[in-house]
Amino acid sequence: MKMAAKTTVLNLTEEEFVHPGNRACSGCGLSILYRIGVKALGRDCIFVVPPSCLTVMQGLYPIAATQMPVLNGTFASTAAIATGVKAAMRRLGRATQVVAWAGDGGTSDIGIQALSGALERGEDIIYICYDNEAYMNTGVQRSGTTPQGSLTTTTPFSGKSEVGKNLPAIIAAHNPAYLATCSASYPLDFHDKLLKAKQIKGLKYLHVQTPCPPGWGIEEHMTVALGRAAVETGLFDLYEIEDGCLQLTGPSQQLLGKACLRPVREYLEMQVRFKACSDEQAAALQAQVDQRWAGYRDKFK
Amino acid sequence: MPDPRFKILTSASTSGPGDAGRTGSWRVERPVIDMSRCIPAKTGKHACHLCWLLCPDNVVSKDIEPEIDLEYCKGCGICAEECPVQAIEMVPDADFIEGAERE
Ligand SMILES: Cc1ncc(C[n+]2csc(CCOP(=O)(O)OP(=O)(O)O)c2C)c(N)n1
Ligand code: SF4
Ligand code: SF4
Ligand code: SF4
Ligand SMILES: [Mg+2]
């Protein structure tokens, strides 16, 4: 494993790359993530972004809310475009990082085949999937990663009946050079995982949970508290996979020392989208989490 | 004119604040910091700065006495929720309208 940098609030750069007054909703989890993530990436980057809330947040003509060069592409081709831009940079002899930022819909559903191809070829790019667990920019339609039981505008009465895709596991099956899961509630963890990803050759995939107040039915001030609850209940695990080896990181690693985690119900009850979630669904989810964490305790203790 | 700060190309748009206008007008409550409780303000040393780290809209400064740009603060209240010493209170913006009648 590579040595991990340890950035703190105090030594995190004050240089900002995102302007205030942008079009993201109040309390947007993606906005926290993007703002801190770009501090790790620095200016020598080109971003590739498919249609999503991020496109809108980065700015519509004639003002750009981001200070970074962004190529807006079509949904299905994000990883293919990033591949091409990287090839151009190589040809020009530039070390410029090419970073794809896409939503869960743009990654788990529409962009997955281009991403799978880029993974198989081992393209030297960073791919960030921010997962707000639905197609948010078009008004909260269900996506591949929307969790079971979640209300969306396309699952409006009893919630999504299917289990959401485990996208990081699908990516991990491609043996990427680096894979990490992160949360908008722990932006410094994301920052340091990006610093690490920048040092690694090959495809680096970061999957980030980004709570979304209008989509999840939470008050704007609860965004960070909610992402934290997802981690502390053991529902969303923070880990890294390098050379095929999985390690829990930061806040999730610290949970290994705890005898029991916060109950999953606490997380569900904080959100309107789980209002229709049945007791059986909640119990099944808790059982899944317990089983996964029993496995972690066996493995890492 | 390409901005010389960028190593590579710029987009056709001009980078700047206020793409969505003065987003301070979205707010119904504004954050007010009690400097007698805020950790860096109280100790005179850089510390905490969680409100700066977690503000989604980049409107809090990383100063000993944190300043909030109310022109663009969307009033989400994350700073108030996450402040470890509850130094930030969300106060109705209407209270700051001059001449407004209060009960
Ligand atoms: C081919 C195509 N289909 C549909 C759309 C409409 N569209 C724009 S953004 C969006 C939602 C994207 O969802 P996700 O990738 O999860 O990102 P989020 O909006 O949640 O940030 C959709 C469906 C489009 N722009 N192009
Ligand atoms: S819909 Fe959700 S992800 Fe999109 S800008 Fe609003 S809060 Fe952010
Ligand atoms: S989070 Fe609270 S204590 Fe910390 S710097 Fe901000 S106002 Fe001060
Ligand atoms: S209320 Fe929200 S936008 Fe305003 S300063 Fe606090 S965290 Fe930033
Ligand atoms: Mg989404």
Side-chain angles (χ1 to χ4, degrees):
Chain A
M1 292 244 164
K2 294 232 163 32
M3 269 298 288
K6 193 94 186 115
T7 306
T8 64
V9 187
L10 292 185
N11 65 22
L12 178 66
T13 176
E14 267 186 82
E15 187 177 11
E16 298 287 349
F17 303 81
V18 188
H19 291 291
N22 61 50
R23 291 172 199 256
C25 307
S26 169
C28 172
L30 165 64
S31 294
I32 303 176
L33 186 87
Y34 184 79
R35 182 181 151 234
I36 306 299
V38 183
K39 288 176 188 254
L41 291 167
R43 292 200 187 271
D44 194 13
C45 283
I46 296 179
F47 292 174
V48 180
V49 181
S52 58
C53 284
L54 184 54
T55 330
V56 177
M57 194 213 93
Q58 287 178 324
L60 309 180
Y61 191 79
I63 301 178
T66 181
Q67 300 177 19
M68 303 302 295
V70 180
L71 192 57
N72 283 124
T74 53
F75 247 130
S77 47
T78 310
I81 297 171
T83 299
V85 176
K86 186 69 196 182
M89 290 302 120
R90 228 176 355 250
R91 183 69 202 268
L92 291 170
R94 289 187 187 162
T96 305
Q97 298 271 354
V98 179
V99 187
W101 293 76
D104 49 293
T107 306
S108 75
D109 301 330
I110 315 175
I112 197 165
Q113 73 87 19
L115 175 58
S116 178
L119 278 157
E120 189 261 337
R121 297 189 305 271
E123 298 295 345
D124 190 21
I125 56 173
I126 297 176
Y127 191 107
I128 299 166
C129 170
Y130 68 92
D131 190 359
N132 49 23
E133 302 179 352
Y135 290 84
M136 292 310 179
N137 185 47
T138 37
V140 202
Q141 292 82 19
R142 99 195 249 298
S143 79
T145 67
T146 300
Q148 190 176 39
S150 180
L151 295 172
T152 65
T153 50
T154 44
T155 54
F157 303 116
S158 47
K160 178 174 163 178
S161 50
E162 301 80 10
V163 175
K165 289 185 195 181
N166 183 345
L167 192 54
I170 297 172
I171 307 299
H174 291 76
N175 287 320
Y178 177 72
L179 184 150
T181 58
C182 314
S183 161
S185 298
Y186 301 93
L188 292 175
D189 175 71
F190 176 60
H191 179 275
D192 286 353
K193 283 170 175 166
L194 275 176
L195 286 184
K196 192 163 164 178
K198 279 171 73 176
Q199 307 300 320
I200 298 173
K201 228 183 139 48
L203 201 144
K204 288 78 63 177
Y205 177 83
L206 289 92
H207 192 97
V208 197
Q209 192 190 42
T210 54
C212 162
W216 295 14
I218 57 172
E219 286 187 49
E220 292 109 309
H221 62 99
M222 292 302 284
T223 302
V224 174
L226 195 80
R228 200 185 302 121
V231 170
E232 289 178 354
T233 53
L235 260 176
F236 190 83
D237 309 332
L238 303 181
Y239 58 81
E240 284 179 327
I241 302 179
E242 273 178 276
D243 306 320
C245 173
L246 184 147
Q247 289 288 346
L248 290 176
T249 52
S252 289
Q253 193 179 30
Q254 284 159 21
L255 292 180
L256 278 174
K258 295 208 168 159
C260 65
L261 309 182
R262 285 168 67 182
V264 164
R265 267 216 157 279
E266 254 182 51
Y267 173 76
L268 300 179
E269 280 167 3
M270 288 163 90
Q271 305 169 63
V272 176
R273 67 172 171 157
F274 290 117
K275 218 169 52 180
C277 185
S278 66
D279 287 347
E280 292 77 47
Q281 278 174 333
L285 194 58
Q286 182 68 62
Q288 261 176 40
V289 169
D290 292 346
Q291 196 188 15
R292 195 168 67 245
W293 276 84
Y296 285 151
R297 287 193 189 94
D298 279 351
K299 193 170 164 192
F300 298 117
K301 266 202 179 165
Chain B
M1 246 307 268
D3 188 321
R5 283 175 306 162
F6 305 137
K7 292 213 172 87
I8 18 189
L9 27 120
T10 58
S11 67
S13 297
T14 314
S15 180
D19 177 41
R22 290 179 177 159
T23 48
S25 66
W26 297 6
R27 208 174 49 226
V28 285
E29 287 181 331
R30 67 170 64 172
V32 176
I33 308 180
D34 177 352
M35 295 300 171
S36 70
R37 295 174 90 159
C38 166
I39 300 167
K42 213 166 87 174
T43 58
K45 287 196 201 93
H46 282 290
C48 184
H49 293 307
L50 275 178
C51 48
W52 168 72
L53 177 74
L54 296 173
C55 173
D57 286 284
N58 177 21
V59 295
V60 185
S61 74
K62 199 184 181 182
D63 295 322
I64 297 280
E65 294 202 353
E67 257 182 69
I68 295 173
D69 180 356
L70 290 170
E71 181 107 345
Y72 294 115
C73 161
K74 292 173 184 165
C76 66
I78 290 177
C79 53
E81 182 69 29
E82 298 300 322
C83 171
V85 293
Q86 287 83 47
I88 307 180
E89 195 193 344
M90 298 303 290
V91 180
D93 260 284
D95 289 2
F96 296 87
I97 299 172
E98 240 173 274
E101 292 262 331
R102 292 278 99 202
E103 285 178 24

